[in-house]
Each structure stands twice: as structure tokens, then as C-alpha cells.
């Protein structure tokens, strides 16, 4: 019996070799994976080589069209701003180069600098009102029930979808001196001084109406975008802050705003661009009047080009508008990147 037991015990150097499956040695399995990855990479490279220039040819029409629609008008405006380009040159197609003379004419015009200051004031007032109201609407929408949330979001989208000219015409009718609802409502409430009040003959009133119109048109986009950012914040963060005793203002400052800051900065950037180059609302409603009370740089450029057929000065004013708007955005992006690096 002892001899039999000794024969049943396997030798010390004998180890069963697995035949595959889960028992496959990791080294062999890793080597096989590396071989398959290298093979697939080579196959992908060969497939990419076979594709040749076809992907670039397929996207070429879209790229060429985009470059033509964006770069050609800009290059043409820069060229005209360096020429003596008036009505005769517009018809004949021949113009003399005058270098930076048009820019010197604009920069030495006191009216131009008045328009620049008014443009920045118009942009600042609109952007501040848009961002504050949009953030409040987004926070309110987040706390509503499903039905009311749907109603609010649908109303915002419908207001946003209204054409600019149609909305401007409605505002003109609302503030009409004889048939406007605003004058009728104020008079009915006892404010007899607003009977047939000419809103668009008063520069401050016309400026305020345009600000109201631009804010009304811009808030829906900003509010919906900020609301979508709020929905991405994990509920656990608010629960943790609430357990720690944070109030609503503290949670907004320490939890909500830091989480949606990138989206807030994006919306702010877009609103700066849109309000800085606002033209249609002002041109349809007041054409920059009364006087120059509602004239900002885009309107000034069109007035200069059309009233005196000074297309060269109009193009120069447009180029200065682009430079000023780019400078504002560069300063904004530098501040944003600095805050991100500090964070």
C-alpha cells in the first residue's frame, strides 16, 4: 500500500498544461492580441491608401463654397476700403488706391467716435440684460413640472423662431403714437401724458425700445441653451451641498454656476457678436434716428455708403467694426482661459 501511494503522487516538476480557453497563459494571449492589432492596423492603412483623394474631392465643393461666401466678401470690403470708391467707380469698375486715407478720415471724425461709444453702450446693456434674464428663466424652467416646463420651452422656441422683420414690425405697431397698444394701455391707467406720445421721436425712448426688442429676441436662445446645461448637473452635487447646509444662493454660486460656466461663456460670446452687429432691427424701426440716437457702427457704415455714395468710407467703417469686435472677443477669451488655468 505505501508503495502504491508513492506511485500515485506526480513528480514535483510535472505541471498540467492548459489546453486553451480561460486557462490560456496571459503571455501567449497578449502576444496574439498584439499580432492581431498590428494586422488590423496594416489592413486599415492599406484601406486608407486605396481610398486615395476621394474623401478630399467629396468635401471640396462644400469647402470651396464656404471659402467663397466668407472670404471673398471680406477681401472685397478690405480692397474697397483702400480705394477711392464712389458711385462713378461703382459703375465703371475702376478705382484708384488711396491707402489708409479712408481710415484717417473716419478716425478724425468726431461723429464716428460718438457712434463707437454708443455701439459699446448698446452692446453692454443688451448683453447684461440678456444673460441675467436668460439665467433666471433657465433656473425657473428647471424647477417647473413637466407640463409647465413644456409650455415655457415651447413659448421660448416660438418666440425665437419669429422672423426679425416681423418682430420689429410688431414692436413698431405696439409703440405707434396713435394706434399703439402701449399708449392706449398707459392712457387707460391714468397716464394722460402718454396720449399720442411719439415714442420714436424721442432718442432715449427709441433706444430703450430697440434694447427691449433685441433682448426679447435673444433671451429664448440663451435661456434654452442654459437650461440644457443645467440638466447636465448631477443631482448628487445639489444633495451634498444641501446636506452641508448650503442655501439656494450658495448652491448657485458654488455648485451650479461653476458647472455651467463653459456654456455661459459660450452664450456670452455669441450674444456679444450678435448685439455688436445688430442692424436689421435698427434699420427697419428707426434707420438710426431720431438724429443719431440709435445709430451704431453697422448702421453708420450703411448710412455712409448709401447717403453720400461713399462706399469706401462705408467699407472702412465695416472693417473697423470687425477689428473692434475681434478685439473684444480676444480680451474675453484671454480672461476665460486665465480663469480655466487658475481653476
Amino acid at each position: 500500500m505505501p508503495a502504491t501511494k508513492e506511485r500515485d503522487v506526480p513528480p514535483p516538476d510535472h505541471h498540467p498544461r492548459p489546453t486553451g480557453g480561460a486557462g490560456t497563459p496571459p503571455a501567449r494571449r497578449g502576444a496574439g492580441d498584439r499580432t492581431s492589432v498590428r494586422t488590423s492596423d496594416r489592413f486599415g492603412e492599406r484601406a486608407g491608401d486605396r481610398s486615395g483623394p476621394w474623401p478630399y474631392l467629396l468635401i471640396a465643393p462644400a469647402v470651396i463654397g464656404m471659402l467663397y461666401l466668407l472670404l471673398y466678401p471680406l477681401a472685397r470690403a478690405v480692397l474697397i476700403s483702400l480705394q477711392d470708391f464712389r458711385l462713378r467707380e461703382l459703375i465703371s469698375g475702376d478705382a484708384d488706391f488711396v491707402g489708409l486715407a479712408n481710415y484717417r478720415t473716419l478716425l478724425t471724425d468726431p461723429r464716428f467716435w460718438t457712434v463707437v461709444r454708443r455701439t459699446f453702450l448698446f452692446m453692454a446693456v443688451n448683453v447684461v440684460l440678456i444673460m441675467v434674464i436668460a439665467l433666471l428663466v433657465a433656473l425657473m424652467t428647471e424647477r417647473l413640472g413637466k407640463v409647465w416646463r413644456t409650455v415655457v420651452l415651447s413659448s421660448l422656441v416660438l418666440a425665437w423662431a419669429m422672423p426679425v422683420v416681423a418682430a420689429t414690425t410688431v414692436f413698431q405697431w405696439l409703440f405707434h403714437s396713435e394706434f399703439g397698444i402701449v399708449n392706449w394701455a398707459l392712457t387707460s391707467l391714468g397716464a394722460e401724458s402718454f396720449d399720442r406720445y411719439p415714442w420714436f421721436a424721442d432718442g432715449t425712448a427709441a433706444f430703450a425700445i430697440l434694447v427691449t426688442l433685441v433682448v426679447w429676441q435673444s433671451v429664448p436662445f440663451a435661456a434654452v441653451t442654459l437650461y440644457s446645461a443645467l440638466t447636465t448637473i448631477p443631482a448628487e452635487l445639489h444633495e451634498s451641498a444641501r446636506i452641508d447646509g448650503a442655501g439656494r444662493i450658495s448652491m448657485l454660486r458654488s455648485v451650479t454656476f461653476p458647472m455651467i460656466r463653459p456654456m455661459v461663456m459660450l452664450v456670452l460670446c455669441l450674444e456679444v457678436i450678435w448685439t455688436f452687429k445688430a442692424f436689421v432691427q435698427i434699420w427697419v424701426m428707426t434707420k438710426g434716428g431720431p438724429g443719431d440716437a440709435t445709430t451704431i457702427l453697422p448702421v453708420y457704415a450703411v448710412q455712409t455708403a448709401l447717403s453720400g455714395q461713399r462706399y469706401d468710407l462705408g467699407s472702412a467703417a465695416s472693417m473697423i467694426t470687425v477689428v473692434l469686435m475681434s478685439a473684444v472677443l480676444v480680451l474675453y477669451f484671454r480672461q476665460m482661459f486665465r480663469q480655466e488655468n487658475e481653476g
Side-chain angles (χ1 to χ4, degrees), residues 287-299:
K287 288 184 171 57
D292 280 340
T294 57
T295 300
I296 62 175
L297 277 173
V299 178

Side-chain angles (χ1 to χ4, degrees), residues 95-108:
D96 298 328
F97 280 91
V98 294
L100 300 177
N102 295 319
Y103 293 94
R104 285 194 295 268
T105 302
L106 287 179
L107 297 179
T108 55

Side-chain angles (χ1 to χ4, degrees), residues 197-209 286 289-290 293-294:
Y197 182 77
W199 291 92
F200 299 108
D202 184 353
T204 304
F207 188 89
I209 293 171
T286 64
T294 57

Side-chain angles (χ1 to χ4, degrees), residues 7-291:
R7 285 194 299 269
D8 293 338
V9 176
D13 58 347
H14 176 73
H15 298 285
R17 185 180 301 274
T19 58
T24 304
R28 292 187 178 182
R29 189 165 52 190
D33 289 345
R34 287 193 296 270
T35 303
S36 62
V37 169
R38 287 195 298 268
T39 303
S40 62
D41 289 343
R42 288 195 297 269
F43 177 78
E45 292 174 358
R46 289 195 298 269
D49 294 340
R50 286 198 300 269
S51 63
W54 282 109
Y56 305 100
L57 292 177
L58 292 175
I59 66 173
V63 173
I64 294 173
M66 182 183 65
L67 292 177
Y68 178 79
L69 293 176
L70 295 180
L71 296 183
Y72 176 76
L74 180 62
R76 181 63 175 165
V78 172
L79 179 63
I80 293 176
S81 69
L82 300 175
Q83 295 176 330
D84 182 11
F85 201 96
R86 309 193 186 196
L87 183 60
R88 182 181 64 82
E89 286 76 15
L90 179 65
I91 297 174
S92 63
D94 188 16
D96 298 328
F97 280 91
V98 294
L100 300 177
N102 295 319
Y103 293 94
R104 285 194 295 268
T105 302
L106 287 179
L107 297 179
T108 55
D109 184 6
R111 178 174 176 250
F112 172 77
W113 290 110
T114 303
V115 172
V116 171
R117 289 192 294 270
R118 187 181 300 112
T119 302
F120 278 96
L121 175 64
F122 182 80
M123 179 194 68
V125 172
N126 277 287
V127 170
V128 170
L129 290 176
I130 290 168
M131 296 305 298
V132 171
I133 296 174
L135 184 58
L136 293 177
V137 172
L139 291 172
M140 178 199 69
T141 307
E142 185 191 22
R143 287 166 172 76
L144 293 176
K146 183 177 180 181
V147 175
W148 283 109
R149 188 186 308 128
T150 303
V151 171
V152 171
L153 292 176
S154 301
S155 302
L156 291 173
V157 171
L158 289 176
W160 183 31
M162 181 176 291
V164 177
V165 176
T168 305
T169 304
V170 170
F171 268 71
Q172 281 183 307
W173 175 67
L174 290 175
F175 290 92
H176 194 275
S177 59
E178 294 186 13
F179 310 108
I181 293 180
V182 175
N183 282 351
W184 172 81
L186 293 175
T187 305
S188 302
L189 294 175
E192 298 295 337
S193 59
F194 287 97
D195 184 22
R196 299 177 182 272
Y197 182 77
W199 291 92
F200 299 108
D202 184 353
T204 304
F207 188 89
I209 293 171
L210 283 170
V211 169
T212 305
L213 172 60
V214 173
V215 170
W216 181 82
Q217 289 178 320
S218 302
V219 162
F221 168 79
V224 172
T225 306
L226 294 178
Y227 167 74
S228 65
L230 290 174
T231 59
T232 62
I233 302 177
E236 293 81 5
L237 295 179
H238 288 129
E239 289 295 333
S240 300
R242 194 175 294 110
I243 292 174
D244 292 338
R248 292 185 179 274
I249 302 299
S250 299
M251 284 195 296
L252 178 63
R253 185 178 62 253
S254 59
V255 178
T256 303
F257 188 76
M259 294 295 294
I260 66 172
R261 179 181 295 174
M263 189 60 68
V264 171
M265 295 302 178
L266 175 61
V267 174
L268 179 64
C269 176
L270 294 176
E271 296 300 338
V272 167
I273 295 174
W274 290 339
T275 56
F276 201 94
K277 64 184 185 65
F279 170 76
V280 176
Q281 300 93 329
I282 299 175
W283 190 256
V284 172
M285 186 175 289
T286 64
K287 288 184 171 57

